């Protein structure tokens, strides 16, 4: 069954979610996992794309938009995940995607912004009701 990890980030800055998304994508990619990052909109996807190129000077994380190369190890999308990706879903939207059960792991990134915290609480409740194993990670302040 899919394991769901909630990463609680001690910041209200939406940019903090993208930084953690990059770190998780890098770690998973280095472990040989295929990663799908579900973005909220095209602007967020473009920002994340730029961040993945530069968030660590010495690191390159092979990634593409799903429309450009669905077989890339890390794929950034706005909708349905490609069939080839079943390891890690990094969910940057506020809702639980319909295809969440296809993944081994799901990462939900929570910041101290009221709308995101409220959506995360609701998602946590829904995941729990559906019987998913849940894990809470409280990240330290940078």
């Amino acid at each position: 069954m899919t394991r769901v990890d909630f990463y609680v980030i001690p910041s209200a800055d939406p940019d903090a979610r993208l930084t953690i998304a990059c770190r998780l994508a890098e770690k998973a990619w280095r472990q040989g996992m295929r990663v799908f990052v579900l973005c909220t909109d095209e602007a967020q996807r473009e920002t994340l794309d730029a961040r993945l190129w530069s968030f660590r000077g010495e690191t390159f994380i092979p990634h593409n938009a799903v429309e450009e190369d669905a077989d890339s190890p890390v794929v950034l999308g706005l909708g349905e995940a490609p069939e080839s990706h079943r390891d890690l879903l990094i969910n940057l939207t506020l809702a639980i995607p319909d295809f969440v059960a296809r993944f081994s792991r799901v990462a939900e990134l929570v910041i101290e912004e009221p709308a995101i915290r409220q959506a995360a609480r609701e998602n946590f409740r829904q995941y729990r009701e559906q019987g998913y194993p849940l894990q809470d990670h409280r990240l330290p302040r940078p």
Side-chain angles (χ1 to χ4, degrees):
M1 177 171 254
T2 302
R3 175 180 152 180
V4 182
D5 293 284
F6 281 81
Y7 292 88
V8 181
I9 304 162
S11 172
D13 184 359
D15 194 56
R17 293 177 82 212
L18 300 183
T19 299
I20 299 303
C22 288
R23 289 181 187 160
L24 291 173
E26 178 190 26
K27 182 177 180 181
W29 168 68
R30 289 195 182 282
Q31 293 174 352
M33 298 173 79
R34 296 175 65 85
V35 180
F36 180 67
V37 183
L38 181 59
C39 300
T40 58
D41 56 30
E42 187 60 40
Q44 184 184 57
R45 180 164 70 170
E46 289 175 7
T47 301
L48 185 59
D49 174 50
R51 179 76 55 85
L52 284 167
W53 281 99
S54 63
F55 92 103
R56 285 191 200 209
E58 71 282 357
T59 302
F60 168 74
I61 301 169
H63 69 281
N64 274 301
V66 69
E67 302 85 4
E68 294 171 8
D69 182 4
D71 290 326
S72 181
V74 176
V75 176
L76 311 179
L78 300 172
E80 189 70 26
E83 285 296 322
S84 60
H85 287 67
R86 296 186 174 272
D87 296 326
L88 174 62
L89 165 64
I90 299 173
N91 183 20
L92 295 176
T93 71
L94 299 183
I96 298 172
D98 294 337
F99 52 84
V100 73
R102 286 194 348 224
F103 287 84
S104 299
R105 297 192 58 190
V106 174
E108 296 278 352
L109 309 182
V110 185
I111 59 172
E112 296 171 346
E113 197 278 320
I116 292 175
R117 286 180 66 114
Q118 184 58 40
R121 285 185 186 112
E122 179 61 25
N123 289 352
F124 189 92
R125 185 186 62 73
Q126 287 181 33
Y127 282 124
R128 186 178 57 218
E129 286 175 0
Q130 294 173 25
Y132 287 102
L134 303 171
Q135 183 69 44
D136 177 296
H137 306 275
R138 299 207 178 264
L139 302 179
R141 291 204 180 272

